[in-house]
Amino acid sequence: RGEEGQSMVEFAVVLPIIVMLFLAIWQLGVGFHNYLAITDAARVGARAAAVNRATATGPCQAAKNAIQATVSTAQWSVISTRFTCTPATPGATGTSYTVSIAYPITINVFFSRTGTLTASATERLE
């Protein structure tokens, strides 16, 4: 018998597996990128709150401005409503400021999964 269509059949069988593997790697890469972005943003926000305690707008507004300058516009549109800063008022030396960010994520490769990436950072006033 001839083997004329064998390579085409093998390609048709293997191609969906390769495409799914590529999409899974891509989705995980995007998720990891978002995780790194919000982790860095939380750290930058906590540092800004600790350093700018004497500003007229307060430490949490300084944290919010620093986070907005750190992340992309698309990420900020999501983060702006899922950002917390405690305590909200200026504190005395030794007070710790904690900035927390929650970022929703959806993975659509083999099945659709949704979840929330969270990051938190604490900085102490010196």
Side-chain angles (χ1 to χ4, degrees):
R1 297 196 179 225
E3 298 178 4
E4 295 174 5
Q6 177 184 355
S7 62
M8 191 67 100
V9 171
E10 289 175 358
F11 181 72
V13 169
V14 173
L15 181 64
I17 296 168
I18 291 173
V19 168
M20 288 294 227
L21 184 63
F22 173 74
L23 290 174
I25 291 170
W26 180 67
Q27 284 282 318
L28 291 174
V30 168
F32 188 64
H33 169 73
N34 288 333
Y35 174 74
L36 290 177
I38 67 165
T39 301
D40 183 50
R43 182 189 54 77
V44 167
R47 183 69 186 148
V51 172
N52 297 313
R53 64 182 170 160
T55 61
T57 58
C60 288
Q61 184 61 41
K64 188 175 185 178
N65 294 341
I67 291 171
Q68 186 175 7
T70 302
V71 297
S72 69
T73 305
Q75 288 172 332
W76 176 248
S77 65
V78 176
I79 290 173
S80 63
T81 59
R82 294 174 173 89
F83 149 80
T84 59
C85 176
T86 53
T89 58
T93 301
T95 304
S96 294
Y97 284 100
T98 301
V99 173
S100 300
I101 299 172
Y103 190 85
I105 189 167
T106 302
I107 297 175
N108 295 316
V109 179
F110 301 110
F111 48 85
S112 180
R113 295 289 298 216
T114 59
T116 304
L117 296 175
T118 57
S120 179
T122 302
E123 289 279 338
R124 185 174 161 237
L125 294 176
E126 297 296 329

